[in-house]
Amino acid sequence: HECASINKVYGFYDECKNRYNTKLWKIFLDCFDCLPIAAVVDEKILCMHGGLSPELRSLDQIKDIQRPTDVPDTGLLCDLLWSDPEHSNTGWGANERGVSFTFGINVLTNFLKKHGLDLICRAHQVVEDGYLFFGHRKLVTIFS
């Protein structure tokens, strides 16, 4: 998942330890640390774990993120992993998680238009029915 501390809090560490051993968990962490932060599918769909960042001006910035790396408490990498859409926002807002930001429909719409994208596909939030659209179906949260 996003980082070692999150894996411990949400049970992946315990599952690996109980079923196999902590060495396997560390191997998974090494693998996760090398996964891409985001991907663009068919030049129209941006996929990431979390969401947008006020620091993201160009998609090339994502390519410049050094991997592997620890996830910082602030900044582009943090936001791509942990920001959330919020219906009540008109712009950027504080995130109740205590990390990263929330962003409104206007931020989403402007970002998609600027970058010639049609959709953002993300995860990070538990949603009923396994998926939830936001911003006139311009963002979808998928949770499994």
Side-chain angles (χ1 to χ4, degrees), residues 5-135:
S5 61
I6 297 295
N7 279 313
K8 280 190 171 184
V9 169
Y10 289 99
F12 186 66
Y13 171 82
D14 289 333
E15 188 170 344
C16 287
K17 184 178 81 171
N18 294 337
R19 289 182 184 214
Y20 304 101
N21 54 53
T22 57
K23 183 178 178 187
L24 179 65
W25 178 72
K26 290 177 184 173
I27 292 169
F28 270 113
L29 288 183
D30 290 342
C31 177
F32 294 159
D33 285 347
C34 293
L35 291 173
I37 297 301
V40 177
V41 177
D42 248 1
E43 300 179 3
K44 291 296 181 183
I45 303 169
L46 177 61
C47 305
M48 78 278 273
H49 180 75
L52 298 176
S53 172
E55 294 185 17
L56 185 59
R57 305 281 181 247
S58 163
L59 295 179
D60 288 334
Q61 288 176 264
I62 298 170
K63 295 176 191 174
D64 294 338
I65 297 172
Q66 296 294 310
R67 299 290 282 159
T69 187
D70 292 328
V71 179
D73 293 333
T74 61
L76 178 58
L77 176 56
C78 173
D79 299 335
L80 290 169
L81 293 173
W82 291 325
S83 69
D84 296 307
E86 176 57 55
H87 287 284
S88 63
N89 277 22
T90 54
W92 297 98
N95 196 320
E96 65 183 26
R97 297 174 191 269
V99 66
S100 191
F101 298 94
T102 59
F103 55 92
I105 293 171
N106 62 327
V107 170
L108 171 65
T109 303
N110 293 339
F111 180 86
L112 292 173
K113 184 176 180 180
K114 176 182 177 184
H115 297 285
L117 298 169
D118 293 338
L119 179 71
I120 290 181
C121 182
R122 66 182 295 270
H124 188 51
Q125 291 177 296
V126 177
V127 291
E128 199 170 319
D129 299 324
Y131 69 96
L132 181 67
F133 285 101
F134 173 82

